Amino acid sequence: MFQKIIDLFYPPVCAGCEAFLLSDEKVICTNCRHEIPITNHFLSIENECFLRFYGRVPLEFAATHCYFHKKGIVQMLIHNLKYKGHESIGKAMGDWFVEDLKNVEILKSVDEIIPVPLHKKRLKERGYNQVTTFGKAIAAGLNKPYNPDILVRKIYAKSQTKKDFSGRTAQSENIFEITNTENHQNKHFLLVDDVLTSGATLEACSKALFQIPGAKISIACIAMSHS
């Protein structure tokens, strides 16, 4: 009842186009949802996301939900999620994506969902990790535990948005470390992030997790950059 009163005076709007949401719409309106370019990576192990890491780290599986284009609907959603505090976007995208991931046989062996961590200074600045709600939605849908504590970002790094591939790779080297690994040997981790660009950050996270004996790693992201 209280929420209905709030909605009466402050009607919820779409996180993509800011149009008023209909009663059966949540976070993103139907029109914007239809505009989201879906990758369908979950249909094949050797998809373009998986191949982006070929020869870099040995993954079990990798997929993103949609494509990220400059000035597109996904860019708007990610911007609102990352910088405007609209964490409900992450949950919505996770809820949609996990319905596809449930059909990926190899992900049934996943033991834990691991988010790409923010440095504690960045976390204090932003107030939240934009990957959290997405990762928790994936964890809930797969009925797996969400563990934000095993992987730590030990170096505060500036934004990599405008760096080229070599710059991003150099900046991502050795900036992650693992903790509390005693009970995590021989586990399959699903590493989650918001946007896959060069893959340098996820590669660095994977290499840190591979320090755990017997570790297996898969990756799931909201989006990937696409020309």
Side-chain angles (χ1 to χ4, degrees), residues 114-160:
I114 310 294
V116 171
L118 294 180
H119 187 271
K120 59 183 180 181
K121 181 178 178 180
R122 177 77 71 194
L123 184 61
K124 185 177 181 180
E125 292 172 347
R126 188 171 295 166
Y128 63 99
N129 184 340
Q130 72 275 7
V131 183
T132 297
T133 52
F134 174 71
K136 286 184 175 180
I138 298 295
L142 296 180
N143 195 27
K144 305 292 183 179
Y146 177 80
N147 187 344
D149 300 319
I150 189 173
L151 189 62
V152 176
R153 188 185 291 257
K154 62 181 181 178
I155 298 175
Y156 179 79
K158 294 181 179 180
S159 173
Q160 302 192 65

Side-chain angles (χ1 to χ4, degrees), residues 75-130:
Q75 183 184 41
M76 175 65 75
L77 293 173
I78 295 295
H79 179 80
N80 285 333
L81 167 63
K82 195 169 184 177
Y83 302 110
K84 300 296 184 179
H86 294 184
E87 294 184 86
S88 58
I89 295 172
K91 183 181 186 307
M93 300 297 272
D95 287 340
W96 298 337
F97 194 22
V98 79
E99 291 304 311
D100 295 330
L101 297 181
K102 287 177 182 178
N103 299 316
V104 179
E105 189 64 29
I106 199 167
L107 294 185
K108 293 179 181 179
S109 67
V110 164
D111 295 294
E112 293 183 330
I113 312 300
I114 310 294
V116 171
L118 294 180
H119 187 271
K120 59 183 180 181
K121 181 178 178 180
R122 177 77 71 194
L123 184 61
K124 185 177 181 180
E125 292 172 347
R126 188 171 295 166
Y128 63 99
N129 184 340
Q130 72 275 7

Side-chain angles (χ1 to χ4, degrees), residues 1 6-7 46 53-54 56 84 128 139 148 153 166 199-200 220:
M1 178 64 73
I6 293 177
D7 291 347
E46 294 191 356
F53 294 94
Y54 183 78
R56 298 164 65 181
K84 300 296 184 179
Y128 63 99
R153 188 185 291 257
S166 60

Side-chain angles (χ1 to χ4, degrees), residues 6-18:
I6 293 177
D7 291 347
L8 180 63
F9 291 97
Y10 301 98
V13 298
C14 173
C17 67
E18 297 187 342

Side-chain angles (χ1 to χ4, degrees), residues 154-155 160 166-176 200-201 203-205 207:
K154 62 181 181 178
I155 298 175
Q160 302 192 65
S166 60
R168 294 182 183 191
T169 301
Q171 185 169 307
S172 298
E173 290 292 331
N174 302 314
I175 67 173
F176 299 99
T201 297
E203 179 182 353
C205 287
K207 288 179 177 178

